[in-house]
Amino acid sequence: MPAGDTAPAPAAPVRVVVLASGSGSTLQALLDSPDRGVLWQVVAVGSDKPGVTALDRAARAGVETFTVAPADFADRPAWDVALAAEVARHEPGLVVLAGFMRILGTPLVDAFAGRMVNTHPALLPSFPGAHGVRDALAHGVKVTGCTVHLVDAGVDTGPILDQAAVRVLPDDDEATLHERIKTAERELLTHVVSRLAHDLTHPERTAPR
């Protein structure tokens, strides 16, 4: 480095808001990642259901939590607006859906277009929708897996960011197969979040893919 020059200040971790509806096992993988606090930081965890385990996991990790329950609003559009406003209040660079079991409305999708990611337990575009594991088994595939994709206005139709394959075993049922897919899903999601955070904080180093 030439004399008199100073090294650039390290980029602040990207702010991440996670949305979850259930036990939060995928959220836990993010909370346990060594990249948390370095490349990105979970600043809030939200849910559509009060009292779910995901919120407890966040609270134990010292992360702020919030609930935006549809039952508290007059109609679906009002809930969509409220959820988008609550997420935006935390000023995230990325929004991560970690087992969030509701289709998102236009206010949130538009506000974070290109910065909101979701996981799906199949190799999209095969077996989209709520029963990806069951549908893969019914179709008789020998390999399925998981996908991390950007969220758009469709259902599991956003651009694919990465995928991991999981072999279907002869004695698999929906529960055993889904458990192995979730293990792969957690690793894949943390990898993708770290990669996106790096790209956001170091755009000059982002190589074309």
Side-chain angles (χ1 to χ4, degrees):
M1 181 179 296
D5 285 357
T6 57
V14 172
R15 297 171 62 85
V16 175
V17 169
V18 180
L19 298 179
S21 295
S23 68
S25 60
T26 304
L27 164 67
Q28 191 65 55
L30 293 169
L31 295 175
D32 292 342
S33 170
D35 288 339
R36 177 188 170 210
V38 180
L39 290 174
W40 46 268
Q41 184 64 272
V42 178
V43 295
V45 173
S47 182
D48 57 323
K49 299 177 180 178
V52 295
T53 306
L55 298 178
D56 295 336
R57 291 178 188 266
R60 287 195 296 269
V63 176
E64 183 177 346
T65 65
F66 63 87
T67 302
V68 184
D72 294 337
F73 297 88
D75 53 29
R76 173 61 192 261
W79 178 78
D80 288 333
V81 170
L83 180 63
E86 183 61 27
V87 172
R89 184 174 71 83
H90 299 280
E91 301 180 340
L94 289 171
V95 178
V96 177
L97 309 184
F100 192 68
M101 302 307 293
R102 291 188 182 271
I103 297 173
L104 298 176
T106 299
L108 187 60
V109 173
D110 287 353
F112 295 98
R115 296 187 292 132
M116 183 159 51
V117 301
N118 185 37
T119 62
H120 181 74
L123 296 174
L124 294 174
S126 297
F127 313 119
H131 304 294
V133 180
R134 184 186 310 172
D135 293 344
L137 277 172
H139 199 76
V141 299
K142 301 305 180 186
V143 176
T144 183
C146 54
T147 301
V148 178
H149 64 94
L150 292 175
V151 176
D152 64 8
V155 177
D156 300 326
T157 56
I160 292 170
L161 297 173
D162 210 344
Q163 295 179 306
V166 175
R167 183 163 293 280
V168 181
L169 302 180
D171 58 348
D172 265 331
D173 58 21
E174 185 177 356
T176 60
L177 178 57
H178 200 178
E179 198 58 43
R180 293 204 315 285
I181 289 173
K182 286 192 287 187
T183 298
E185 194 174 59
R186 291 189 282 266
E187 181 177 354
L188 185 69
L189 179 62
T190 55
H191 170 77
V192 170
V193 169
S194 293
R195 189 181 77 201
L196 291 175
H198 179 274
D199 291 352
L200 285 170
T201 55
H202 301 88
E204 74 286 352
R205 302 182 195 173
T206 303
R209 293 187 176 85

